[in-house]
């Protein structure tokens, strides 16, 4: 019997894809450019803006699955490259869920993205992403 999967509505699918694109751009910026580069501020600003929209009703949880991300057990109606790539980045660091809390600012995002950009074997050797995030002051 085939598994029946719920799909996100078009609006939430678009928001998830936009968020994934913003994460991808910010991750690239923080891993490539020196800390004062304008691209970092721009991409982190966009990510902060999008996360504020997603958390307007409270914490927003992403469930990381192979090559996709689900919200509330539902996945995007159609594949999106940015969602696949964000899923792959998170899975490489053994992230199964990511809860975005209201008030996530550019510095919080920068810290998280810097951790995600590290080689996964180094992150695991240093205690794993959850431990490093907790040490860095992440909520």
């Amino acid at each position: 019997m085939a598994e029946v999967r719920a799909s996100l509505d078009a609006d939430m699918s678009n928001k998830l894809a936009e968020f994934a694109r913003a994460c991808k751009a910010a991750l690239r910026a923080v891993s490539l450019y020196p800390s004062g580069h304008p691209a970092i501020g721009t991409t982190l600003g966009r990510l902060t803006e999008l996360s504020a929209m997603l958390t307007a009703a409270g914490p927003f949880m992403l469930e990381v699955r192979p090559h996709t991300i689900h919200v509330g057990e539902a996945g995007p109606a159609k594949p999106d490259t940015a969602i696949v790539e964000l899923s792959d980045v998170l899975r490489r660091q053994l992230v199964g869920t990511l809860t975005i809390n209201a008030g996530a600012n550019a510095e919080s995002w920068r810290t998280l993205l810097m951790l995600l950009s590290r080689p996964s074997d180094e992150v695991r050797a240093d205690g794993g992403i959850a431990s490093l995030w907790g040490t860095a002051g992440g909520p």
Side-chain angles (χ1 to χ4, degrees):
M1 200 171 227
E3 178 185 348
V4 178
R5 294 187 223 165
S7 293
L8 295 170
D9 64 37
D11 182 54
M12 183 52 72
S13 287
N14 289 337
K15 286 178 181 176
L16 180 58
E18 190 174 358
F19 175 77
R21 282 189 289 278
C23 280
K24 180 181 166 186
L27 182 61
R28 180 176 169 83
V30 301
S31 64
L32 290 178
Y33 300 121
S35 62
H37 195 281
I40 294 174
T42 301
T43 58
L44 290 176
R46 180 68 181 138
L47 189 53
T48 300
E49 177 184 306
L50 288 169
S51 63
M53 287 182 354
L54 292 173
T55 60
F60 187 79
M61 185 167 46
L62 305 173
E63 300 168 22
V64 183
R65 308 266 177 104
H67 311 299
T68 193
I69 295 174
H70 285 197
V71 177
E73 297 294 323
K78 56 185 177 178
D80 183 279
T81 303
I83 294 171
V84 171
E85 290 174 359
L86 179 58
S87 167
D88 291 347
V89 166
L90 294 170
R91 286 178 53 79
R92 217 175 359 262
Q93 297 294 3
L94 303 179
V95 175
T97 59
L98 178 65
T99 302
I100 304 166
N101 294 304
N105 61 25
E107 192 54 37
S108 293
W109 280 115
R110 183 182 177 286
T111 301
L112 179 62
L113 294 172
M114 289 299 293
L115 291 172
L116 291 173
S117 70
R118 291 181 54 194
S120 56
D121 56 337
E122 286 181 17
V123 170
R124 283 191 285 285
D126 288 343
I129 194 82
S131 174
L132 292 172
W133 179 239
T135 301

